Amino acid sequence: MAVAIGAGALALARPGSLDTLLLYAVLAQSWNLIGGLAGYASFGQVVFFGVGGYLTALAMVRLGLSFYLAMPLGGLGAALFGLAVGDLVLRVRGLYFAVATLVLAGATKAVLSSWPGLAGPSGVLTITTVGLHQPTARPGPLGFDAVYLALAAVSTAGVSVLVRSRLGDSLAVIRDDEDLAGALGIAVRPAKVAAFSLSGALAGLAGGVYAFQVTALSPAVLFAPLLSVVMVAAVVAGGAGVLGPLRGAVLLWLLSAGVGSLAPELRDVLVASLIVAVVLVEEGR
Amino acid sequence: MTGSTTRASRPASRSPGPTGTSDPAGDCGEAAPLLKVRGLTRRFGGLVALEEIDLDVEVGRLLVVMGPNGAGKSTLVDLLTGYLRPNEGGFRLDGVDLTFSPRWSLARSGITRTFQVPRPLARFDVRENVRIAARCGSPPRPGRSAAERQAAELLSETGLDGQASCYPAELSLASLRRLELARALAGRPRLLIADEPLGGLAGADIDAGIALLRTLARPDRGVIVIEHAVRAVLQVADELAFLHHGRLLRRGPAAEVLADRAVVDAYVGAGLLRRGLL
Ligand SMILES: Nc1ncnc2c1ncn2[C@@H]1O[C@H](COP(=O)(O)OP(=O)(O)O)[C@@H](O)[C@H]1O
Ligand SMILES: [Mg+2]
């Protein structure tokens, strides 16, 4: 298990920097909402990151909106995307849900890759950061740290409110015995879709910040499958609840600072092992 | 929504006692029963698990549904709580047709149940199991602290206050059955359905269970209890319905139904069959 978690730690460039730690924290809370609290282990959570990132970039580039307006729009768009597809993918559980979300992320990435209007002929969408036409002055490294920190704080506060809410109770029952939930008066599908959509909002917001940080965007950058694995691994390593995902984010961040890069084939094997391990642990509980 | 939640004439004086031969849906001059089941039929492939069941349950009364294994008792519970759908027939609660309502909607409309095989939430202690059910059941749905208070009251009503902090894995079967009842009560039911709440119990646990069952019917609540044992049935039932091979064989006061020739034959027959004597 520890080895598999290490695989997730390789996901992002610039390991060890503060922004990476805070990004991991937001992503871990995002996954926590659906994988931890509701017990639906999503392996395509990066789809929200990508959707939020692209929407943020498009709002800045095409509409000339400020980043601080575009990023919430990206989060909202990711949440709506979750509402739209949630009812479909949340019909299945366990390994089937893992596969459904993997396919969702892969298909969305493929559609965006072959969409001619999305970027120029190069396939790269660029957020202008120099000259007269930049919509928002690009913050320095400390500025991005501050934005990520705010997101991580909002995510954690949101999760701590949610676990004590009626929706939090509903998700706990759904996680432990979904078939019982209806008898207790819990409307299962709306509760699951709400959790999926909220988790999408958090990942989408993170994707928006990341997009502005990276500026040159392609599906390969915003839909990197390893990001999905980071989210799973952080919660698996740190535990669900309110603080577990933060512990997991720190652990992954430390690992990613220490571990170099592995051969892609080895990474794929490790990712696959992680998926199987997580699903087996979930089913066996 | 179906229309007939109100009735043209509804005399207040008549007592809504059980009628042996109930007339069809549009009866007049009787107070509407809490639960009205008509023609309820469920088949599994070629097997008819329940056939043309008519039943009424009044508030303040406890109906026992009895019958040999496989008679269709749990199927009835599942049909009334959205865990199964009927092939024919339906039911109304307070005059509202709820036959095809989803499970959560039935629970919030006031029909809650226990399960024949207890299914507590293993990660939560007894108090939390009941609190969660209180928070999610029928309106008015309490906030977190009000739900905690309701849970504490229910634990003392069901005799579980000593085990409030225990986890389900630490409980005896008798306590697990009490937890099932406490959780079903936490949903603020108009109609509580308990599937074999004494099942598998012995000795003093049965007597304590009978005492608890006798407290369940209230002026604003009706109860259905599934039970086998004649002694328990005689002590808890306001009315008895006897199911056999999916058919409602007899229905009425418990002592009369149990003395009925057809019921004795069915029950003794089933008993002999179980012992390999028939
Ligand atoms: N899901 C099902 N599929 C097929 N047959 C079933 C199913 N559930 C119950 N039955 C059958 O329906 C009949 C009634 O079952 P049940 O309602 O559980 O009986 P009881 O609770 O009275 O012992 C039995 O013959 C049982 O085998
Ligand atoms: Mg049964």
Side-chain angles (χ1 to χ4, degrees):
Chain A
M1 197 53 148
V3 187
I5 290 164
L10 306 171
L12 287 182
R14 295 171 293 100
S17 57
L18 184 59
D19 55 347
T20 305
L21 171 62
L22 295 169
L23 172 61
Y24 282 5
V26 179
L27 293 180
Q29 291 295 19
S30 160
W31 196 87
N32 183 30
L33 288 176
I34 188 68
L37 303 184
Y40 274 71
S42 162
F43 280 82
Q45 202 67 358
V46 75
V47 74
F48 295 119
F49 186 84
V51 166
Y54 264 112
L55 286 175
T56 301
L58 288 173
M60 292 176 75
V61 173
R62 300 278 159 81
L63 306 178
L65 293 185
S66 151
F67 164 69
Y68 299 99
L69 206 54
M71 179 189 62
L73 277 182
L76 182 65
L80 292 176
F81 182 76
L83 277 186
V85 299
D87 195 48
L88 190 66
V89 292
L90 288 160
R91 275 159 205 241
V92 289
R93 243 201 127 115
L95 192 53
Y96 299 98
F97 180 70
V99 171
T101 48
L102 268 176
V103 169
L104 175 67
T108 309
K109 180 182 179 184
V111 167
L112 293 181
S113 303
S114 57
W115 190 351
L118 188 64
S122 62
V124 176
L125 177 67
T126 305
I127 302 175
T128 319
T129 56
V130 290
L132 290 175
H133 295 296
Q134 61 183 93
T136 308
R138 198 162 173 278
L142 275 180
F144 278 114
D145 289 351
V147 176
Y148 278 127
L149 179 62
L151 272 189
V154 166
S155 306
T156 304
V159 167
S160 75
V161 169
L162 186 110
V163 293
R164 295 180 59 81
S165 72
R166 185 173 288 122
L167 177 58
D169 282 340
S170 305
L171 295 175
V173 177
I174 289 169
R175 170 190 161 134
D176 287 2
D177 188 352
E178 183 165 338
D179 202 46
L180 168 71
L184 301 187
I186 295 164
V188 171
R189 272 158 62 174
K192 289 192 296 192
V193 173
F196 197 51
S197 177
L198 287 172
S199 83
L202 295 188
L205 288 168
V209 185
Y210 189 73
F212 196 27
Q213 225 181 351
V214 175
T215 66
L217 305 173
S218 65
V221 169
L222 281 181
F223 288 83
L226 273 177
L227 273 178
S228 291
V229 177
V230 168
M231 303 191 214
V232 184
V235 181
V236 169
V242 178
L243 296 179
L246 300 184
R247 278 196 298 272
V250 171
L251 191 68
L252 273 191
W253 178 69
L254 292 174
L255 279 173
S256 65
V259 182
S261 64
L262 291 172
E265 300 79 17
L266 186 52
R267 271 195 328 219
D268 289 346
V269 170
L270 290 174
V271 169
S273 325
L274 178 66
I275 293 177
V276 172
V278 168
V279 169
L280 289 181
V281 168
E282 280 292 321
E283 307 261 288
R285 86 172 56 250
Chain B
M1 280 266 86
T2 45
S4 62
T5 53
T6 53
R7 251 153 230 268
S9 67
R10 193 170 171 174
S13 57
R14 294 269 308 261
S15 100
T19 47
T21 56
S22 65
D23 29 24
D27 59 338
C28 188
E30 284 281 317
L34 173 65
L35 175 77
K36 187 163 183 164
V37 178
R38 288 296 177 272
L40 204 61
T41 299
R42 169 71 203 202
R43 293 180 284 268
F44 294 108
L47 176 89
V48 186
L50 271 187
E51 193 172 4
E52 296 277 331
I53 299 298
D54 292 349
L55 274 180
D56 290 348
V57 179
E58 313 286 345
V59 290
R61 295 177 68 87
L62 188 152
L63 168 75
V64 170
V65 176
M66 191 180 186
N69 273 324
K73 305 183 296 296
S74 291
T75 301
L76 177 65
V77 177
D78 286 345
L79 287 169
L80 293 176
T81 52
Y83 278 75
L84 282 175
R85 297 301 179 194
N87 297 106
E88 281 145 48
F91 62 91
R92 287 167 184 264
L93 186 78
D94 287 322
V96 182
D97 186 348
L98 298 179
T99 309
F100 290 100
S101 295
R103 289 173 198 178
W104 62 268
S105 170
L106 286 162
R108 287 194 209 169
S109 300
I111 304 181
T112 66
R113 66 173 293 175
T114 73
F115 290 86
Q116 187 174 349
V117 179
R119 52 195 306 175
L121 298 166
R123 274 198 302 146
F124 294 92
D125 66 18
V126 167
R127 182 187 289 114
E128 286 279 281
N129 265 276
V130 180
R131 179 191 64 73
I132 290 172
R135 205 154 180 220
C136 297
S138 68
R141 301 201 288 169
R144 193 180 173 92
S145 51
E148 275 164 14
R149 282 195 300 278
Q150 290 181 13
E153 280 168 27
L154 284 169
L155 291 184
S156 81
E157 278 174 35
T158 52
L160 280 171
D161 23 18
Q163 284 132 305
S165 304
C166 294
Y167 283 82
E170 308 168 279
L171 298 181
S172 65
L173 178 62
S175 297
L176 284 171
R177 294 222 177 273
R178 279 166 187 272
L179 176 55
E180 283 285 316
L181 281 172
R183 204 168 59 180
L185 288 167
R188 294 166 292 282
R190 295 272 292 142
L191 174 68
L192 172 71
I193 308 178
D195 196 351
E196 306 214 12
L198 305 176
L201 304 189
D205 286 338
I206 292 191
D207 293 321
I210 288 172
L212 176 57
L213 292 178
R214 289 169 64 108
T215 68
L216 295 180
R218 301 270 169 93
D220 59 348
R221 185 199 294 151
V223 181
I224 298 178
V225 168
I226 310 293
E227 177 50 37
H228 283 299
V230 170
R231 182 171 72 87
V233 171
L234 286 170
Q235 288 187 64
V236 303
D238 295 315
E239 196 188 358
L240 176 60
F242 193 92
L243 281 181
H244 189 48
H245 292 317
R247 305 203 59 124
L248 186 57
L249 211 56
R250 285 292 179 276
R251 184 181 140 199
E256 278 175 33
V257 172
L258 287 172
D260 188 277
R261 182 74 221 169
V263 169
V264 171
D265 284 351
Y267 218 56
V268 172
L272 294 179
L273 203 61
R274 257 205 309 281
R275 294 180 185 86
L277 299 177
L278 208 78

